[in-house]
Amino acid sequence: MSTPAVSILLPFHDAEPTLAAALDSCLAQEFADFELLAVDDGSRDGSTAIAAAYAARDGRVRVLRPGRLGLVGALNHGLSAARAALVARMDADDVMYPQRLQRQCAFMAANPQVGLCGCQVRLVPEERIEAGFREYIRWQNACLTPAQMAQEIYWESPIAHPSFMFRRAIISELGGYRHGDFPEDYELLLRLHGAGVALAKLPEVLLDWSDSPGRATRTDPRYARRAFDHLRAEHLARDPRLHGRPLVVWGAGRKTRRRVNLLLDRGFAPTAWIDIDPAKIGKVIRGAPVHPPGWLACKPRPFVLMYVTAHGARDTSGSQLAALGYRAGHDYLMVG
């Protein structure tokens, strides 16, 4: 068998209602030089038979049956079996557009410095999307270039996992997906960023991303707010941008301080806190005073971590910093 250009990595577990549509969208790709690794993660419904039927009809489909490993184990099992230099992720309840592989392969060929690229996504079904998630997709779809990824990486996960296409050698060298009390996709992006690997996204919607009630982001404790906070703090502590300059934290509320403490307990000490609440100005938190935003006109310019979670407040605060000459990713980072 010749080596394919792309290995599509699609783990599934009890996905009978949606698996056929996902597989159909893979096989309908305009770019045909791929293998499809359907990793059966211990399914108990009819999805195993569905995958087997597709494999019988199309030799590009390979069904792997390692038993129940969980998502991370299934992903790593599929990676170990992949033959292509490029791996495209796919979920069993999503649908990729016919141009997806072609567009991403062309982008990766033209941008050898990029280790992982995604694409813009459409969240479905649209009638069930809540305002917060709609705003998250708007933000995510606007985060495109390696520079934007480096600026926004600590706000939220900037690329939808089933839209990933990555260079298999890089992921393997970094140890594949990791087990832990954290979201495996976001952890991988943070690890890639920390290793200096460029991330990017195609400015085109090429995937329908399903927001089902049972999806892991809604039900798995690894996707709880606290898990994200711990993961961000761990990687922020290693980010070289936080070292060598005075550190200032924007946000002095009680909830913010609980999140910031996860970083400060790793040996960091802010020289000041920033808040817009007049009642907080002048207070001292962990030995550092609370100042209004205008204080940031000081010299030398500190490095600011902006712990502002609301999208509207985030944009306003970012505009205030820009007016003072602060550059995103160079002088400050937004932290979700």
Side-chain angles (χ1 to χ4, degrees):
M1 296 175 63
S2 60
T3 302
V6 180
S7 295
I8 301 174
L9 178 53
L10 192 162
F12 65 92
H13 172 73
D14 291 349
E16 184 175 2
T18 61
L19 182 58
L23 293 172
D24 283 339
S25 74
C26 295
L27 297 180
Q29 291 298 295
E30 294 176 356
F31 184 90
D33 186 14
F34 64 83
E35 64 176 355
L36 200 170
L37 303 175
V39 186
D40 182 1
D41 186 24
S43 295
R44 300 157 299 178
D45 64 359
S47 52
T48 301
I50 292 172
Y54 275 80
R57 294 197 302 266
D58 193 316
R60 294 174 298 178
V61 180
R62 297 166 57 196
V63 180
L64 308 179
R65 301 190 63 186
R68 184 65 166 146
L69 300 177
L71 178 58
V72 172
L75 288 168
N76 285 331
H77 183 82
L79 277 177
S80 68
R83 297 183 294 132
L86 293 174
V87 174
R89 272 285 288 114
M90 182 61 178
D91 281 343
D93 58 351
D94 297 326
V95 170
M96 65 169 75
Y97 296 6
Q99 306 83 13
R100 179 194 164 184
L101 292 187
Q102 181 185 64
R103 297 280 203 275
Q104 287 187 301
C105 284
F107 180 87
M108 295 296 273
N111 296 274
Q113 79 281 6
V114 172
L116 182 151
C117 79
C119 65
Q120 293 178 327
V121 300
R122 182 175 75 105
L123 197 63
V124 295
E126 292 185 341
E127 65 274 9
R128 201 167 58 215
I129 304 173
E130 298 177 355
F133 213 168
R134 190 182 301 276
E135 179 60 24
Y136 167 60
I137 294 299
R138 184 203 65 77
W139 166 81
Q140 189 191 82
N141 280 344
C143 190
L144 301 171
T145 67
Q148 288 175 310
M149 296 286 175
Q151 294 168 15
E152 303 283 341
I153 192 72
Y154 298 111
W155 174 255
E156 285 279 6
S157 181
I159 308 176
H161 192 189
S163 80
F164 285 12
M165 176 178 281
F166 52 75
R167 302 189 194 278
R168 179 168 58 88
I170 292 177
I171 305 302
S172 297
E173 183 177 340
L174 290 178
Y177 286 89
R178 286 185 178 169
H179 290 274
D181 296 329
F182 45 72
E184 75 291 330
D185 53 340
Y186 191 26
E187 191 279 337
L188 179 61
L189 293 181
L190 287 168
R191 194 158 22 109
L192 287 167
H193 168 73
V197 177
L199 311 173
K201 183 186 297 135
L202 275 64
E204 185 176 2
V205 175
L206 297 171
L207 182 87
D208 280 350
W209 195 20
S210 176
D211 182 28
S212 62
R215 67 180 298 166
T217 52
R218 294 183 180 276
T219 61
D220 194 321
R222 295 181 304 120
Y223 292 85
R225 177 58 196 248
R226 192 70 173 168
F228 277 86
D229 291 342
H230 277 276
L231 187 61
R232 289 189 186 100
E234 176 187 344
H235 287 269
L236 267 171
R238 296 197 292 266
D239 195 306
R241 291 173 289 188
L242 272 65
H243 300 268
R245 291 168 67 178
L247 184 67
V248 169
V249 175
W250 186 308
R254 187 172 301 171
K255 290 183 179 179
T256 298
R257 294 202 305 270
R258 283 200 297 266
R259 292 159 49 219
V260 176
N261 285 340
L262 296 173
L263 174 66
L264 302 188
D265 290 344
R266 288 172 162 84
F268 291 84
T271 59
W273 301 72
I274 303 297
D275 207 282
I276 61 173
D277 183 356
K280 295 187 178 71
I281 307 303
K283 291 186 175 181
V284 175
I285 301 172
R286 292 185 69 142
V290 181
H291 295 291
W295 180 86
L296 288 170
C298 65
K299 301 291 184 179
R301 182 175 293 166
F303 192 86
V304 181
L305 292 179
M306 184 168 289
Y307 283 80
V308 180
T309 55
H311 282 272
R314 161 201 153 97
D315 293 341
T316 300
S317 302
S319 296
Q320 290 178 281
L321 282 175
L324 292 169
Y326 284 72
R327 297 172 298 163
H330 295 276
D331 302 309
Y332 72 93
L333 288 170
M334 296 284 187
V335 185

